[in-house]
C-alpha cells in the first residue's frame, strides 16, 4: 500500500523547501511529502494523485500567492479531495480571512508564519490533523480485518466498538467484497460465526463478545489495584475530566467504561462550541486527548465491563461487574451519562442495527455514500449528525416533531442545516413505522398537523431522541427521580427525598443520598446536558471527593 501524501505549496522557493523539509523530517517515514511552488502546480499534482487513486492526508498552503490565494486553492482542494486536512500558512494581517475560511471552506487550521521552532509550533498542529485523518481512514494504516455482513447487528456492534476505541481496522463485507467472501470461506465461517475479527498476530475471533475482543486487542479489562481512592463509572466528558483532575492530584483513580470512552459526545462528528477550539473538534478527538491526559497522570481505564451492581462495605464502595469481578474504592463517581431513548414504532425494534441505529459515530457517514438517510431528532447531536451525513449521502431528511428547530438546537447549527443543499427538514413530523425484510427498506413518516402519512424508501435511519439514564444498577440506596436521574446536593432536602440523607452535615453539591458517592454530567438530575458543563462537573466532583475523603 502506497504512503498517503502531504502536499505543500508556497510561491517562495526558499519557504517551500523549508516547509517541505520540516514535514519530511518528522513524517517522511509514514507519508510522501511533495512540495510545489504555485497553486497551478499544486492542483496538477493533486489531479494526478486523484487519478491514480492515491490518498491525500494533508494540504499545506501559503495564503498570499500570485494568481490564486491559498484559501482559493484550498477551496478547490476541498472539492477534489473532501476528506483531506487543510492547513493555511498566513501572516497576522490575514487572520480574519483565515477565521472566515473555517466556516466558508472547512479550513482545519491556520498557522502564522514563521513556524520556527517546528517542534513547538508546526508539529503539534500537524500531529493533531494527521491523527484525525488516520482515525477517519483506518484502512490506510491497519492490518486488523473485520469480515462480516452489512446488516448484521453483531458486525455493527464490533465496528462501533473498534471505532470508538480508536482501533484501526479494515472492513470486508462477505457479500460485497470478494476478499471478504474468500476469507469467510477459508475460515469455514457460517452466519453465526460472523463477524470474523482477524488480528495481525494470527488470532481469529468468531462473533466475539466485546470483552473477548478487548482482551484480544490488549485493551485493559481488569483493574490492577485492590483498592482505589476514586472509582469513576462512565468514561464520558464528566468521567474523563474527573479522572484527569483526580489522578493529577494524586488520587488512585480508575475509570470503568462499558463500551468506549467518550459517551455520546465521543460519537459527535464535530463539537463547535467548546471553548478554545474555533474550528471545533470531533468527539473522537476530544476523547482521545482526554484519555491520553488521564493516562499520563496515572488513571487506569477498564473497558468492556458492564457494571451491574453497587454495594456499601463500611467505608468502601464497591461496583460489581456482569459475570464476575468487582472494584473497591473509598469513593465513587457516577458519570454514566444517558442513552438515546428508543423509538416506539412498528418494525423499528426488529430492524435495529440492520438499518436502524441509535446515535452514530462520525465514521459511519462514509458507509451511506450516495444513499438517502433519515435522522430523527432536533437537538445538537441530531444537527451535527445530519451535517456529517450530508457530506456523503445523496439526501438527508431530518425528521422533527416540533414546529421549529430553534427550540432545541443551537443557532449556529440551525443556520448550517438550513444552508445545506441536500438536507431536508420535515417539521411537525415523526417516523411511525419501519419496513423491510432482512434490513431497513422503507419508513413511514406522519405529518402531525394534517394526520397524513407517506411511506418512503430508506436504507438508513438514525435516531437521536430523548435522554434515558441507565441507573438501575444503583439499587435502592441511591435516590433517583421517576425517570432514573440521580438526585444530588440540595435537591436531597426537598420532597420526596428529604428523608434519604443519613448524616448530620448537609450533602455536598454533587453528592448523592449515599455519602461518598457522587454524580456528575448528564446522569444527574437537572444537569445542563452540554459537554462543557459535564467537564466542569467532573472537575468539581474531585474537589468534593477530597473533602469527603478528609472526613473518613
Amino acid at each position: 500500500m502506497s504512503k498517503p501524501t502531504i502536499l505543500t505549496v508556497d510561491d517562495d522557493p526558499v519557504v517551500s523547501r523549508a516547509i517541505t523539509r520540516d514535514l519530511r523530517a518528522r513524517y517522511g517515514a509514514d507519508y510522501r511529502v511533495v512540495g510545489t511552488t504555485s497553486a497551478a502546480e499544486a492542483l496538477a499534482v493533486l489531479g494526478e494523485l486523484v487519478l491514480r487513486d492515491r490518498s491525500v492526508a494533508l494540504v499545506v498552503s501559503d495564503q498570499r500567492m500570485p494568481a490564486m490565494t491559498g484559501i482559493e486553492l484550498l477551496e478547490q482542494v476541498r472539492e477534489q479531495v473532501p476528506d483531506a486536512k487543510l492547513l493555511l500558512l498566513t501572516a497576522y494581517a490575514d487572520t480574519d480571512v483565515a477565521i472566515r475560511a473555517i466556516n466558508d471552506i472547512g479550513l482545519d487550521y491556520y498557522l502564522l508564519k514563521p513556524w520556527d521552532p517546528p517542534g513547538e509550533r508546526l508539529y503539534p498542529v500537524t500531529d493533531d490533523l494527521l491523527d484525525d485523518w488516520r482515525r477517519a481512514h483506518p484502512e490506510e494504516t491497519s492490518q486488523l480485518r473485520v469480515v462480516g455482513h452489512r446488516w448484521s447487528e453483531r458486525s455493527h456492534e464490533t465496528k462501533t466498538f473498534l471505532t470508538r476505541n480508536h482501533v484501526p481496522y479494515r472492513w470486508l463485507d462477505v457479500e460485497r467484497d470478494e476478499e471478504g467472501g474468500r476469507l469467510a470461506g477459508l475460515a469455514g465461517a457460517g452466519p453465526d460465526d460472523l463477524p470474523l475479527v482477524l488480528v495481525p498476530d494470527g488470532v481469529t475471533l468468531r462473533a466475539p463478545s466485546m470483552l473477548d475482543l478487548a482482551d484480544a486487542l490488549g485493551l485493559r479489562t481488569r483493574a490492577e489495584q485492590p483498592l482505589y481512592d476514586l472509582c469513576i463509572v462512565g468514561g464520558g466528558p464528566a468521567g474523563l475530566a474527573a479522572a484527569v483532575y483526580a489522578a493529577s492530584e494524586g488520587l488512585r483513580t480508575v475509570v470503568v467504561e462499558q463500551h468506549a470512552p467518550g459517551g455520546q459526545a465521543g460519537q459527535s462528528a464535530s463539537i463547535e462550541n467548546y471553548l478554545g477550539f474555533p474550528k471545533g473538534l470531533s468527539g473522537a478527538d476530544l476523547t482521545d486527548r482526554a484519555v491520553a491526559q488521564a493516562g499520563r497522570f496515572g488513571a487506569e481505564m477498564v473497558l468492556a465491563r458492564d457494571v451491574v451492581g453497587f454495594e456499601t462495605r463500611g467505608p468502601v464502595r464497591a461496583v460489581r461487574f456482569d459475570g464476575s469481578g468487582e472494584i473497591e474504592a473509598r469513593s465513587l463517581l457516577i458519570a454514566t451519562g444517558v442513552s438515546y431513548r428508543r423509538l416506539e414504532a412498528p418494525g423499528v425494534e426488529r430492524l435495529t442495527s440492520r438499518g436502524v441505529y441509535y446515535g452514530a459515530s462520525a465514521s459511519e457517514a462514509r458507509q451511506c455514500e450516495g444513499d438517502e438517510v433519515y435522522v430523527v431528532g432536533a437537538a445538537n447531536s441530531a444537527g451535527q449528525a445530519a451535517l456529517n451525513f450530508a457530506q456523503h449521502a445523496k439526501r438527508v431528511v431530518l425528521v422533527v416533531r416540533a414546529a421549529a428547530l430553534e427550540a432545541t438546537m443551537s443557532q449556529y447549527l440551525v443556520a448550517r442545516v438550513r444552508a445545506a443543499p441536500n438536507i431536508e427538514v420535515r417539521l411537525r413530523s415523526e417516523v411511525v413505522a419501519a419496513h423491510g425484510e432482512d434490513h431497513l427498506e422503507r419508513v413511514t413518516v406522519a405529518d402531525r398537523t394534517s394526520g397524513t402519512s407517506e411511506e418512503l424508501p430508506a436504507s438508513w435511519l438514525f435516531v437521536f431522541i430523548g435522554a434515558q439514564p441507565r441507573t438501575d444498577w444503583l439499587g435502592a440506596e441511591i435516590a433517583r427521580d421517576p425517570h432514573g436521574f440521580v438526585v444530588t446536593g440540595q435537591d436531597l432536602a426537598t420532597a420526596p427525598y428529604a428523608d434519604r440523607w443519613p448524616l448530620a452535615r448537609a450533602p455536598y453539591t454533587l453528592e448523592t443520598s449515599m455519602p461518598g458517592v457522587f454524580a456528575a454530567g448528564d446522569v444527574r438530575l437537572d444537569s445542563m446536558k452540554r459537554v462543557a458543563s459535564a467537564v466542569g462537573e467532573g472537575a468539581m466532583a474531585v474537589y468534593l471527593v477530597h473533602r469527603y475523603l478528609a472526613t473518613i
Side-chain angles (χ1 to χ4, degrees):
M1 185 178 295
S2 61
K3 295 179 182 179
T5 297
I6 296 174
L7 178 63
T8 73
V9 54
D10 195 302
D11 65 301
D12 185 331
V14 175
V15 177
S16 178
R17 286 194 297 271
I19 186 66
T20 302
R21 177 200 64 221
D22 287 346
L23 291 172
R24 189 172 288 150
R26 185 171 180 92
Y27 307 106
D30 300 312
Y31 296 88
R32 177 173 173 252
V33 182
V34 178
T36 61
T37 56
S38 71
E41 182 186 1
L43 290 173
V45 171
L46 188 69
E48 181 180 350
L49 292 171
V50 172
L51 288 174
R52 296 170 64 185
D53 197 26
R54 297 292 177 85
S55 298
V56 179
L58 173 67
V59 178
V60 183
S61 175
D62 181 40
Q63 165 62 4
R64 296 191 176 188
M65 296 187 296
M68 184 181 296
T69 68
I71 290 175
E72 292 171 339
L73 166 65
L74 294 178
E75 184 175 15
Q76 293 194 37
V77 171
R78 179 64 78 206
E79 293 175 358
Q80 293 194 46
V81 192
D83 52 357
K85 296 296 178 181
L86 307 182
L87 174 60
L88 185 71
L89 301 177
T90 186
Y92 181 79
D94 294 324
T95 54
D96 287 344
V97 175
I99 291 171
R100 286 198 299 272
I102 291 174
N103 288 328
D104 294 343
I105 68 168
L107 179 69
D108 292 290
Y109 210 92
Y110 67 90
L111 191 64
L112 297 180
K113 297 168 67 174
W115 57 86
D116 290 327
E120 295 180 11
R121 302 190 58 200
L122 175 64
Y123 295 152
V125 170
T126 309
D127 284 348
D128 285 345
L129 294 176
L130 293 176
D131 284 347
D132 284 350
W133 186 86
R134 279 196 297 266
R135 277 194 292 269
H137 299 78
E139 68 278 5
E140 301 287 345
T141 58
S142 174
Q143 295 303 312
L144 179 70
R145 293 168 294 174
V146 179
V147 181
H149 191 282
R150 187 186 192 195
W151 305 116
S152 159
E153 180 175 358
R154 181 60 67 85
S155 293
H156 178 261
E157 182 184 33
T158 298
K159 291 193 294 180
T160 300
F161 180 86
L162 293 172
T163 298
R164 294 187 59 194
N165 281 286
H166 309 297
V167 178
Y169 69 92
R170 186 154 59 98
W171 165 251
L172 298 166
D173 191 295
V174 291
E175 290 187 348
R176 307 174 77 187
D177 298 309
E178 183 178 343
E179 185 180 357
R182 182 180 65 84
L183 290 172
L186 288 173
D192 293 339
D193 295 317
L194 298 179
L196 296 176
V197 180
L198 307 175
V199 184
D201 62 7
V203 176
T204 298
L205 304 176
R206 297 172 182 264
S209 69
M210 296 307 99
L211 181 57
D212 290 339
L213 181 57
D215 282 333
L217 296 173
L219 302 178
R220 181 175 293 169
T221 60
R222 293 162 183 82
E224 293 187 348
Q225 300 183 43
L227 180 67
Y228 294 85
D229 295 314
L230 175 61
C231 175
I232 302 166
V233 181
L240 291 174
V244 168
Y245 279 91
S248 69
E249 294 171 11
L251 296 181
R252 292 169 298 174
T253 304
V254 62
V255 181
V256 182
E257 170 56 50
Q258 180 182 5
H259 301 294
Q264 283 190 9
Q267 300 182 66
S268 177
S270 180
I271 302 171
E272 297 189 61
N273 56 359
Y274 194 70
L275 183 66
F277 294 88
K279 172 62 172 68
L281 75 170
S282 69
D285 188 18
L286 177 63
T287 300
D288 198 33
R289 291 167 183 259
V291 169
Q293 195 172 15
R296 173 187 164 218
F297 289 124
E300 292 182 30
M301 187 76 63
V302 174
L303 298 173
R305 300 308 299 263
D306 185 14
V307 174
V308 296
F310 160 75
E311 293 179 9
T312 300
R313 301 170 182 171
V316 172
R317 311 293 181 244
V319 294
R320 293 183 287 103
F321 297 148
D322 184 24
S324 64
E326 64 180 21
I327 290 178
E328 291 188 335
R330 298 197 298 153
S331 62
L332 173 67
L333 176 63
I334 305 163
T336 47
V338 295
S339 58
Y340 292 112
R341 186 162 48 84
R342 312 300 280 187
L343 180 62
E344 301 294 336
V348 168
E349 187 65 27
R350 182 175 61 83
L351 295 171
T352 296
S353 295
R354 291 187 290 163
V356 178
Y357 305 96
Y358 290 87
S361 64
S363 63
E364 287 181 293
R366 299 175 69 197
Q367 67 183 339
C368 302
E369 191 76 40
D371 293 340
E372 295 203 357
V373 174
Y374 282 74
V375 176
V376 178
N380 281 5
S381 55
Q384 288 287 7
L387 289 167
N388 189 40
F389 285 121
Q391 298 180 49
H392 302 273
K394 176 183 178 182
R395 185 171 72 117
V396 178
V397 181
L398 186 60
V399 182
V400 178
R401 288 172 57 91
L405 285 174
E406 287 79 358
T408 51
M409 189 179 295
S410 296
Q411 183 57 45
Y412 77 94
L413 275 177
V414 173
R416 291 184 60 197
V417 165
R418 287 178 172 162
N422 61 335
I423 296 181
E424 174 188 346
V425 180
R426 298 187 63 145
L427 300 172
R428 302 184 184 89
S429 299
E430 56 187 327
V431 173
V432 296
H435 315 276
E437 295 303 322
D438 63 335
H439 64 88
L440 180 69
E441 298 174 1
R442 302 175 307 282
V443 294
T444 299
V445 179
D447 187 304
R448 304 185 71 214
T449 302
S450 66
T452 60
S453 62
E454 55 183 325
E455 193 172 300
L456 303 164
S459 297
W460 307 95
L461 175 65
F462 294 88
V463 181
F464 298 81
I465 58 173
Q468 180 176 334
R470 181 186 168 273
T471 54
D472 54 311
W473 61 274
L474 291 169
E477 289 185 284
I478 306 297
R480 304 186 295 282
D481 81 341
H483 301 288
F485 290 95
V486 178
V487 182
T488 59
Q490 64 182 11
D491 288 334
L492 289 168
T494 63
Y497 314 108
D499 62 343
R500 300 295 300 273
W501 179 249
L503 301 183
R505 71 166 173 84
Y508 299 130
T509 304
L510 301 179
E511 200 165 19
T512 71
S513 56
M514 172 60 62
V517 178
F518 300 83
D522 292 358
V523 74
R524 194 177 65 82
L525 179 63
D526 290 335
S527 63
M528 277 187 61
K529 309 296 186 291
R530 286 290 186 269
V531 173
S533 63
V535 169
E537 288 190 9
M540 181 181 179
V542 175
Y543 164 73
L544 301 174
V545 165
H546 277 296
R547 292 181 63 184
Y548 167 75
L549 293 178
T551 67
I552 62 173

